[in-house]
Amino acid sequence: MSVAVLTQQAPKNRAPKSAARPALRPAARARRSGPPAVRPLPAGLPRAWYIEHNRRLKAMRLAVVLLDSGVYLPQQATNRRIRSLAVRIDIHRPSAATCRMVRSFLHQES
């Protein structure tokens, strides 16, 4: 017998490879880091709704950055601090209404 014939034959005392391996779990989906995908806003709503929606988004972004910087209480988040933080993270200067909304988000967390 040649060497090529011997290497192709499986030993008789071993189980087939498929039975020897444990069952594999399905691969877990990789988590995406970063902000979620941007979806278009619904059409046909009043202009005030869009303004309020964008104000909420901006206030949430500012509240998260304030929390990351160590500001946990609404009393610590003055208009001056919120506005200087907005300049630092390259967001347009928030209005007084947006600053109030940031403080209300911080109040909900405490």
Side-chain angles (χ1 to χ4, degrees):
M1 277 188 166
S2 70
V3 176
V5 173
L6 289 176
T7 57
Q8 291 177 355
Q9 295 174 351
K12 295 180 182 177
N13 59 354
R14 266 201 243 165
K17 285 188 177 183
S18 61
R21 290 185 179 175
L24 298 176
R25 285 194 278 172
R29 285 180 46 185
R31 289 188 158 235
R32 231 178 71 162
S33 62
V38 177
R39 296 183 307 192
L41 293 176
L45 295 172
R47 180 175 167 77
W49 185 90
Y50 297 104
I51 292 170
E52 189 67 19
H53 173 77
N54 289 331
R55 178 171 283 147
R56 266 191 239 111
L57 291 178
K58 185 177 195 175
M60 281 191 278
R61 265 188 248 119
L62 288 167
V64 167
V65 174
L66 279 170
L67 289 169
D68 288 344
S69 68
V71 176
Y72 302 109
L73 299 174
Q75 298 86 351
Q76 296 173 319
T78 61
N79 284 0
R80 175 179 277 176
R81 180 174 272 178
I82 293 170
R83 288 176 177 149
S84 67
L85 187 70
V87 168
R88 205 174 341 147
I89 63 173
D90 204 25
I91 295 178
H92 284 283
R93 184 177 183 270
S95 65
T98 305
C99 291
R100 280 192 305 273
M101 196 173 285
V102 169
R103 283 190 287 277
S104 71
F105 283 138
L106 290 176
H107 180 71
Q108 292 171 359
E109 293 297 320
S110 59

